[in-house]
């Protein structure tokens, strides 16, 4: 059994970033321990080698494909489907080429995963994933009255001198993918689009999902970065979704408050990561946490014996001698559970015996939770070994 599946501590704990981003702060705010464990070193692995459920991976690929197309459409003014500008957005985003490349990359990770026994790969046609993404896109996308969009020229991939940013915007009216750094705080961001509207600066970010309160915070931070780099206070922060556009007015007082709050959050996040392990934030996100088996508090939240979409996470104590098809066990609540698997899966499992306690992540559960099937993607962790 690979040592990765013994519940040991990381070989090296993740350190706090030297430069913070909005996404990093949001991830740490969701759960500092999850961020820390995923990015810590585990033996020869620089990060925790996540092993996702196939349906989860498919969802990630579809979301990423949608996000690429949404940003490309936003950069071209939300053109009508079928127009020449829309075709350009599809080409610029590399939409159709993205799906086979993403499937291959995920399969490469799965093949390289440090696990004994047979590997599993995504058995999906990339074209089918692209079609699912297109269907979702058509259901959500509302172009701007079919009006032709305006090209946004790219800014710089590395931050420019403050005055050059404003001069560039005045010349071009539109900039895209502008990298900005705060002059004193260790904070950086890449703004999707900065544009002039009625001679006023607007900060725009393109989103493929549903509106969230966090999006306003992100735009206020990007507006604050523009202000600190150029001295110009943007008039609006704009979140452009596939089906709607939400705009918030901005004033210098808003950006002062945003900056002060950001400084406090960076200090707090760095403090969280100074503990080994960092404190967890237990909640609904624990169900999808890739390191939930390594978190006592998070595990207690997900190990309820409840089957969700056929999936079941369960800690059990081995009762019978394991055979080629499985073994009998008891859950933490004392329920009898039959743990089953096919012969090929047996080599994936630790050598357990009666009295051992294991945590099963991503098993296939029956609705009554009396049978737990270990699939090719299921992970089994040793909690303790009986004497």
């Amino acid at each position: 059994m690979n040592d990765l599946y013994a519940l040991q501590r990381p070989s090296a704990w993740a350190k706090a970033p030297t430069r913070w981003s909005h996404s990093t702060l949001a991830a740490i705010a969701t759960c500092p321990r999850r961020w820390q464990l995923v990015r810590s070193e585990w033996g020869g692995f620089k990060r925790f080698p996540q092993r996702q459920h196939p349906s989860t991976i498919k969802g990630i690929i579809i979301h990423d494909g949608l996000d690429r197309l949404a940003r490309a459409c936003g950069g071209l003014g939300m053109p009508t489907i079928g127009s020449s500008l829309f075709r350009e957005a599809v080409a610029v985003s590399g939409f159709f080429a993205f799906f086979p490349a993403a499937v291959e990359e995920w399969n490469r990770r799965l093949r390289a995963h440090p696990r004994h026994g047979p590997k599993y790969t995504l058995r999906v046609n990339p074209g089918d994933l692209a079609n699912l993404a297109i269907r979702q896109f058509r259901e959500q996308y509302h172009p701007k009255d079919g009006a032709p969009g305006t090209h946004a020229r790219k800014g710089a991939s590395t931050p420019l001198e403050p005055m050059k940013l404003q001069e560039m915007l005045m010349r071009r009216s539109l900039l895209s993918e502008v990298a900005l750094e705060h002059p004193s705080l260790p904070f950086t961001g890449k703004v999707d689009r900065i544009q002039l509207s009625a001679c006023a600066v607007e900060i725009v970010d393109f989103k493929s999902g549903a509106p969230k309160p966090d999006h306003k915070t992100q735009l206020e931070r990007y507006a604050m970065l523009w202000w600190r780099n150029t001295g110009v206070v943007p008039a609006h922060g704009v979140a452009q979704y596939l089906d709607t556009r939400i705009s918030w007015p901005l004033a210098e007082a808003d950006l002062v408050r945003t900056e002060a709050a950001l400084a406090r959050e960076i200090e707090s996040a760095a403090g969280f990561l100074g503990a080994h392990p960092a404190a967890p934030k237990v909640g609904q996100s624990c169900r999808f946490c890739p390191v939930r088996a390594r978190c006592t508090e998070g595990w207690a939240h997900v190990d309820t014996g409840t089957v969700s979409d056929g999936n079941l996470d369960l800690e059990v104590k081995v009762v019978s001698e394991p055979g080629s098809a499985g073994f009998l066990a008891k859950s933490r609540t004392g329920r009898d559970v039959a743990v089953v698997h096919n012969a090929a899966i047996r080599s994936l499992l630790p050598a357990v015996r009666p009295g051992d306690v294991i945590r099963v992540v991503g098993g296939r559960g029956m609705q009554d939770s009396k049978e737990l099937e270990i699939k090719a993607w299921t992970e089994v962790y040793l909690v303790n070994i009986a004497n």
Side-chain angles (χ1 to χ4, degrees):
M1 181 65 181
N2 195 301
D3 287 343
L4 182 66
Y5 289 99
L7 295 181
Q8 82 277 26
R9 294 161 66 90
S11 52
W13 291 96
K15 298 179 181 179
T18 56
R19 306 292 294 178
W20 301 80
S21 67
H22 178 79
S23 59
T24 295
L25 288 169
I28 294 172
T30 299
C31 182
R33 181 175 294 179
R34 173 178 179 172
W35 188 94
Q36 182 188 63
L37 291 179
V38 167
R39 288 161 181 79
S40 291
E41 293 185 19
W42 300 87
F45 300 94
K46 295 299 182 183
R47 288 169 58 105
F48 183 76
Q50 300 181 41
R51 187 177 175 86
Q52 303 276 24
H53 189 281
S55 61
T56 301
I57 297 175
K58 293 173 189 176
I60 291 172
I61 293 173
I62 291 172
H63 175 271
D64 290 348
L66 277 172
D67 193 60
R68 293 168 69 97
L69 184 55
R71 292 180 185 278
C73 285
L76 293 174
M78 305 294 284
T80 303
I81 292 177
S83 66
S84 59
L85 274 177
F86 182 80
R87 290 193 292 273
E88 182 177 344
V90 173
V92 167
S93 68
F95 181 77
F96 289 106
F98 165 76
F99 290 92
V103 170
E104 176 53 34
E105 171 58 20
W106 272 103
N107 279 335
R108 183 194 67 77
R109 297 183 201 176
L110 293 171
R111 289 191 296 267
H113 195 275
R115 180 172 175 175
H116 299 304
K119 307 293 183 180
Y120 85 91
T121 56
L122 290 178
R123 297 179 180 179
V124 62
N125 185 330
D128 291 340
L129 295 181
N131 289 336
L132 287 171
I134 291 170
R135 185 183 307 165
Q136 290 186 32
F137 188 86
R138 287 182 176 275
E139 291 172 351
Q140 301 173 34
Y141 184 59
H142 289 189
K144 286 188 175 180
D145 299 323
T150 307
H151 290 263
R153 297 178 65 184
K154 284 193 176 184
S157 57
T158 56
L160 294 171
E161 294 179 13
M163 289 311 298
K164 288 185 178 180
L165 282 169
Q166 184 65 21
E167 291 172 2
M168 187 183 297
L169 180 62
M170 296 302 292
R171 289 197 311 269
R172 301 181 180 179
S173 296
L174 295 169
L175 298 174
S176 69
E177 299 181 22
V178 182
L180 298 172
E181 290 184 0
H182 194 280
S184 57
L185 291 175
F187 184 75
T188 185
K190 180 173 282 189
V191 187
D192 284 345
R193 181 176 174 119
I194 303 172
Q195 62 190 26
L196 288 177
S197 178
C199 297
V201 176
E202 289 187 335
I203 305 295
V204 184
D205 199 61
F206 304 119
K207 303 292 185 184
S208 59
K212 298 178 181 177
D214 178 66
H215 297 164
K216 181 175 183 288
T217 301
Q218 181 180 13
L219 282 160
E220 288 173 338
R221 288 174 173 174
Y222 288 173
M224 181 269 296
L225 285 176
W226 182 262
W227 169 53
R228 282 306 190 193
N229 275 273
T230 67
V232 177
V233 176
H236 296 92
V238 179
Q240 176 64 65
Y241 303 93
L242 291 177
D243 60 349
T244 189
R245 167 188 167 103
I246 300 177
S247 177
W248 296 275
L250 297 168
E252 185 170 329
D254 300 320
L255 304 186
V256 171
R257 286 192 294 271
T258 295
E259 186 175 51
L262 175 63
R264 291 193 298 270
E265 186 170 346
I266 290 174
E267 182 179 8
S268 176
F272 277 128
L273 299 180
H276 299 153
K281 288 191 177 180
V282 177
Q284 289 301 314
S285 63
C286 292
R287 287 183 52 213
F288 311 102
C289 177
V291 288
R292 57 191 180 273
R294 299 175 180 276
C295 175
T296 301
E297 297 87 342
W299 184 261
H301 185 78
V302 301
D303 182 14
T304 61
T306 302
V307 179
S308 176
D309 298 326
N311 298 313
L312 180 63
D313 293 339
L314 203 63
E315 180 179 304
V316 297
K317 185 175 184 178
V318 180
V319 173
S320 70
E321 287 289 345
S324 60
F327 52 87
L328 297 178
K330 282 190 180 292
S331 70
R332 293 195 302 167
T333 59
R335 177 188 291 126
D336 292 328
V337 180
V339 180
V340 300
H341 52 73
N342 62 37
I345 298 297
R346 181 174 173 79
S347 61
L348 301 175
L349 304 179
V352 297
R353 58 182 180 175
D356 292 348
V357 178
I358 61 175
R359 286 179 182 170
V360 179
V361 178
R364 191 73 179 170
M366 305 297 290
Q367 289 302 321
D368 57 9
S369 302
K370 292 182 178 179
E371 182 176 289
L372 176 61
E373 183 180 4
I374 297 177
K375 306 293 289 185
W377 55 80
T378 305
E379 295 180 288
V380 178
Y381 293 86
L382 280 169
V383 178
N384 69 277
I385 301 174
N387 293 325

